[in-house]
Amino acid sequence: LEAKEEFSHKTLAMDVMRPRRNDPVLTVITQDSMMVEDVEAIINETTYSGYPVVVSRESQRLVGFVLRRDLIISIENARKKQDGIVSTSIIYFTDHSPPLPPSSPSMLKLRSILDLSPFTVTDQTPMEIVVDIFRKLGLRQCLVTHNGKLLGIITKKDVLKHIAQMANQDPDSILFN
Ligand code: ADP
């Protein structure tokens, strides 16, 4: 009886990840179709530490994860030092540049700042296991998928808040100190 009860109350990754139901969607970057100005808009309009990179919005297939600070530095540098990089330049994270008309502005390759194997769990993973993974691997964030599609993100702070809620304690005192 006890075990069953525990099972039915188990918090899953999908209960802790962002976005929550009714929240705006996850902010993602597509691998080879966004312009410099699109990514700059994301950087200016959000404060997240990083952004998942996906094949396309429609597919939501995960390609990797890019840190906000690396994006800012790389775009600033390219605008200053790389010939032909303008607001409408396409940014790509793929190996090869996407096919574009010859009249298009120079493209900006940012594959070198992409983390190609960000840690992921499925939405059904029990939070106990997620917490364990964060502890053991010292993760800053973990992406959540369902059937190979990107669904959400859990940051270290999300995990700490979850633990605090469970224990009703000060989050800073529990996990990583
Ligand atoms: P922290 O959790 O340390 O404040 P962030 O600033 O990256 O780190 O994230 C703030 C909140 O937004 C967290 O709850 C996180 O789950 C969520 N979040 C992080 N990255 C994204 C993103 N790209 N799109 C939507 N939500 C995000």
Side-chain angles (χ1 to χ4, degrees):
L1 185 73
E2 220 168 84
K4 193 179 169 197
E5 190 157 305
E6 195 185 317
F7 184 70
S8 66
H9 290 152
K10 222 170 215 174
T11 311
L12 304 176
M14 63 176 299
D15 304 320
V16 174
M17 70 172 201
R18 305 306 160 111
R20 291 287 168 80
R21 252 183 288 275
N22 305 325
D23 275 359
V25 294
L26 195 64
T27 303
V28 299
I29 294 176
T30 56
Q31 67 174 355
D32 62 359
S33 57
M34 287 174 74
M35 296 183 289
V36 165
E37 63 186 14
D38 300 327
V39 174
E40 285 173 337
I42 286 178
I43 290 168
N44 290 329
E45 287 159 18
T46 66
T47 59
Y48 305 127
S49 317
Y51 307 92
V53 175
V54 294
V55 171
S56 64
R57 278 187 198 289
E58 305 70 52
S59 74
Q60 289 294 312
R61 295 271 157 206
L62 182 64
V63 175
F65 192 79
V66 65
L67 290 178
R68 173 195 179 78
R69 59 162 188 271
D70 292 340
L71 271 179
I72 293 173
I73 293 169
S74 302
I75 293 176
E76 260 177 27
N77 268 338
R79 273 195 180 273
K80 270 189 228 148
K81 295 175 188 157
Q82 204 171 317
D83 268 350
I85 298 299
V86 292
S87 296
T88 53
S89 293
I90 293 286
I91 290 182
Y92 67 102
F93 295 90
T94 46
D95 253 332
H96 302 286
S97 56
L100 286 183
S103 58
S104 321
S106 302
M107 288 181 262
L108 175 54
K109 181 169 185 170
L110 291 185
R111 190 172 180 80
S112 63
I113 61 168
L114 185 64
D115 174 0
L116 284 162
S117 27
F119 212 90
T120 63
V121 295
T122 69
D123 57 343
Q124 298 301 314
T125 309
M127 275 309 290
E128 273 169 33
I129 293 176
V130 175
V131 170
D132 221 39
I133 294 170
F134 266 83
R135 277 204 185 110
K136 288 188 174 141
L137 301 184
L139 297 184
R140 309 271 334 173
Q141 68 277 119
C142 176
L143 298 172
V144 182
T145 61
H146 179 82
N147 287 342
K149 284 190 180 194
L150 180 64
L151 268 197
I153 185 168
I154 299 175
T155 65
K156 176 172 156 181
K157 222 181 251 178
D158 294 329
V159 171
L160 288 169
K161 279 187 209 150
H162 163 72
I163 292 173
Q165 260 174 18
M166 296 285 110
N168 212 355
Q169 283 179 44
D170 173 16
D172 288 339
S173 66
I174 305 166
L175 186 54
F176 296 100
N177 292 333

